[in-house]
Amino acid sequence: LRDNRIELVRASWHELSISVSDVSLSDEGQYTCSLFTMPVKTSKAFLTVLGVPEKPQITGFTSPVMEGERMQLTCKTSGSKPAADIRWFKNDKEVKDVKYLKEEDANRKTFTVSSTLDFLADRNDDGAVVSCRVDHESLNSTPQIAMQVLEIHYTPLVKIISSNSWPEEGQSIILTCESKGKPVPEPVLWTKDGGELPDPERMVVNGRVLSISFLNKTDNGTYRCEAKNPIGRNSTEYVLIVHDVFNTLLPTTVIPSLTTATVTTTVALTTSTTTSATAISTR
């Protein structure tokens, strides 16, 4: 062996040891130790050199991505021997439905492996961390990881929240329009029955909040909140019904007072005298 990277470590009648520094793929092969006796005795060993995969890279992502568009992210690593294993994760949850490709490098000793993650962009994926993990026996159980944070743009999602579930005449109500989108939606637009708010003195808009004071039956109707951003617009409705004031009559309890009364009754008695006449006949 004639190589500056190979050094003699120990030499005795019982042992001959060498070290190889900066190991390369060309060092792979069969090594023979010979004992020059008569006859010569030899011992052989085959050295396998692992190809360490390069740090992976994720390609195919363009920011931002519109909701509903198809995304194809590809993770690739070269120089592994044997071929490395690639796994995909989204927010630490493994994604199984992926495509895997293995190709020989130009030296015909190592491999380039790639994997493609194909999915439709969804608003729930906004801010999600997609990671590509490369496992290989040369990495000593410490995988190489490449990460990509997703940015998804989507139309606003709108919801109206009411402060009063049973509004009555004379009361107030606050309607809050919650809108979530990316980019952040512009200030919302409030309308009533398809037109402008009819009573701006009682119907006050402050940002996303509509406050109506001193409710009456003319306030009945459909209130619409609309939000928009550069991607699109969305709206939702709230039907307001003002109820009559509900009066509750308290039951009346009559407590009789104790009264002692003396009643005098006068009865008029009439005495009748009856006279009986006896007729005597004289002959």
Side-chain angles (χ1 to χ4, degrees):
L1 296 173
R2 299 183 180 278
D3 193 313
N4 293 332
R5 297 177 300 111
I6 301 176
E7 296 181 357
L8 182 63
V9 176
R10 184 176 302 157
S12 69
W13 292 108
H14 306 287
E15 181 180 344
L16 185 65
S17 300
I18 62 172
S19 68
V20 183
S21 60
D22 194 17
V23 175
S24 65
L25 292 173
S26 61
D27 294 322
E28 181 171 287
Q30 184 170 273
Y31 288 73
T32 303
C33 172
S34 300
L35 178 62
F36 292 97
T37 59
M38 291 299 293
V40 177
K41 297 180 180 179
T42 61
S43 180
K44 301 179 184 295
F46 191 89
L47 175 64
T48 299
V49 178
L50 299 176
V52 181
E54 297 177 358
K55 184 176 178 58
Q57 291 184 340
I58 297 177
T59 59
F61 180 74
T62 56
S63 181
V65 178
M66 304 303 169
E67 183 178 32
E69 289 185 356
R70 181 169 295 279
M71 297 181 63
Q72 287 187 333
L73 303 181
T74 299
C75 178
K76 180 182 291 187
T77 179
S78 301
S80 59
K81 177 179 173 291
D85 182 37
I86 295 181
R87 300 163 66 190
W88 285 97
F89 295 84
K90 183 189 293 184
N91 288 338
D92 298 327
K93 183 178 180 180
E94 186 171 2
V95 181
K96 294 290 188 179
D97 189 15
V98 296
K99 297 178 181 178
Y100 180 84
L101 179 64
K102 178 178 70 173
E103 298 176 317
E104 282 189 345
D105 292 331
N107 58 20
R108 303 186 66 84
K109 293 181 179 180
T110 58
F111 295 90
T112 293
V113 293
S114 62
S115 179
T116 301
L117 178 63
D118 190 338
F119 62 98
L120 294 178
D122 184 86
R123 65 182 60 198
N124 296 323
D125 292 329
D126 182 51
V129 178
V130 174
S131 57
C132 161
R133 170 174 163 173
V134 175
D135 291 296
H136 193 263
E137 53 190 297
S138 66
L139 299 177
N140 298 322
S141 301
T142 304
Q144 293 180 335
I145 299 176
M147 294 187 296
Q148 176 66 61
V149 179
L150 302 183
E151 182 182 1
I152 312 297
H153 283 192
Y154 54 93
T155 57
L157 181 65
V158 187
K159 179 173 65 173
I160 295 178
I161 299 176
S162 171
S163 66
N164 194 338
S165 60
W166 187 269
E168 297 180 355
E169 288 185 295
Q171 294 181 346
S172 299
I173 191 172
I174 298 176
L175 300 179
T176 303
C177 180
E178 291 188 350
S179 60
K180 180 182 179 183
K182 195 166 186 179
V184 177
E186 300 173 4
V188 300
L189 174 65
W190 282 99
T191 58
K192 178 179 183 288
D193 296 330
E196 296 182 355
L197 299 177
D199 192 344
E201 292 186 359
R202 292 187 305 108
M203 301 177 177
V204 179
V205 176
N206 184 10
R208 304 180 187 279
V209 177
L210 169 61
S211 303
I212 308 175
S213 57
F214 303 107
L215 290 170
N216 59 65
K217 292 298 182 66
T218 63
D219 297 327
N220 289 346
T222 301
Y223 292 79
R224 177 190 294 267
C225 167
E226 181 181 281
K228 65 178 180 179
N229 63 7
I231 310 303
R233 63 181 64 200
N234 204 350
S235 64
T236 188
E237 296 178 344
Y238 175 84
V239 178
L240 174 62
I241 300 177
V242 179
H243 301 273
D244 295 328
V245 177
F246 183 68
N247 291 324
T248 303
L249 297 178
L250 296 176
T252 302
T253 303
V254 178
I255 303 176
S257 59
L258 297 179
T259 303
T260 302
T262 302
V263 179
T264 303
T265 303
T266 303
V267 179
L269 300 178
T270 303
T271 304
S272 299
T273 304
T274 302
T275 303
S276 298
T278 301
I280 301 174
S281 178
T282 303
R283 295 176 177 245

